[in-house]
Amino acid sequence: MVKELMHDPIFLGGRSETAGKEDLPTAQDLLDTLMAHRESCVGMAANMIGVRKRIIAFLDESGRCPTYTVMFNPEIIKKDGVYDTEEGCLSLLGGPRSCRRYHSIKVRYQTPEMQVRIKTYTGWTAQIIQHEVDHCAGILI
């Protein structure tokens, strides 16, 4: 179900809790909401729809065909190639803001089936994931 976007910086600034199998409906709502905003958004974290759980959904362009991916409890375990950039966010008012990102990241996460995976991402997809993982930690750009 498409949910309303959260814009409260105090709520968004709070750390999200570990997500589990019982949070599958939240993951589906997050994906539905991201798809509804696909013209202006490439990634979302659960706190952006009012749920403080460590769940992210994003457009994964790392393969041959772009797909939408959902991660439970993502954690960046390695990063390389720092650069400065600007990003916008549907939850924050105003224009793009400066931030620091890494060209390559290694992420440990759980699938919706709660299987642990480790994968390396680069470029644009890595930047999206970093933005959403920051959301889970209560870090706003």
Side-chain angles (χ1 to χ4, degrees):
M1 173 185 292
V2 176
K3 298 291 187 173
E4 188 173 328
L5 295 177
M6 172 64 66
H7 298 287
D8 179 0
I10 294 173
F11 180 86
L12 293 168
R15 294 183 66 82
S16 296
E17 299 175 9
T18 301
K21 194 129 182 113
E22 68 278 5
D23 297 306
L24 282 171
T26 296
Q28 186 60 56
D29 290 345
L30 184 61
L31 191 55
D32 292 346
T33 305
L34 175 58
M35 298 287 288
H37 293 275
R38 67 182 166 268
E39 297 298 323
S40 59
C41 185
V42 291
M44 297 183 86
N47 66 352
M48 294 175 68
I49 59 169
V51 180
R52 277 199 186 133
K53 291 290 186 157
R54 292 186 58 81
I55 306 169
I56 67 172
F58 60 94
L59 180 61
D60 183 352
E61 295 182 343
S62 64
R64 283 186 284 180
C65 184
T67 59
Y68 286 94
T69 298
V70 174
M71 291 180 172
F72 284 68
N73 306 308
E75 177 187 3
I76 297 171
I77 58 175
K78 186 177 180 185
K79 45 193 173 185
D80 189 45
V82 69
Y83 65 97
D84 293 320
T85 189
E86 289 189 343
E87 295 175 355
C89 181
L90 282 182
S91 287
L92 301 175
L93 301 174
R97 299 169 188 186
S98 297
C99 60
R100 179 160 286 176
R101 296 292 180 220
Y102 295 86
H103 177 71
S104 175
I105 59 170
K106 185 180 283 189
V107 184
R108 179 178 26 236
Y109 64 96
Q110 291 172 287
T111 67
E113 296 78 27
M114 298 294 119
Q115 297 173 334
V116 175
R117 298 280 189 261
I118 296 175
K119 186 172 178 179
T120 299
Y121 292 89
T122 60
W124 179 234
T125 300
Q127 185 174 335
I128 297 166
I129 293 169
Q130 290 170 81
H131 181 104
E132 304 317 329
V133 169
D134 278 357
H135 265 293
C136 292
I139 298 169
L140 304 177
I141 56 170

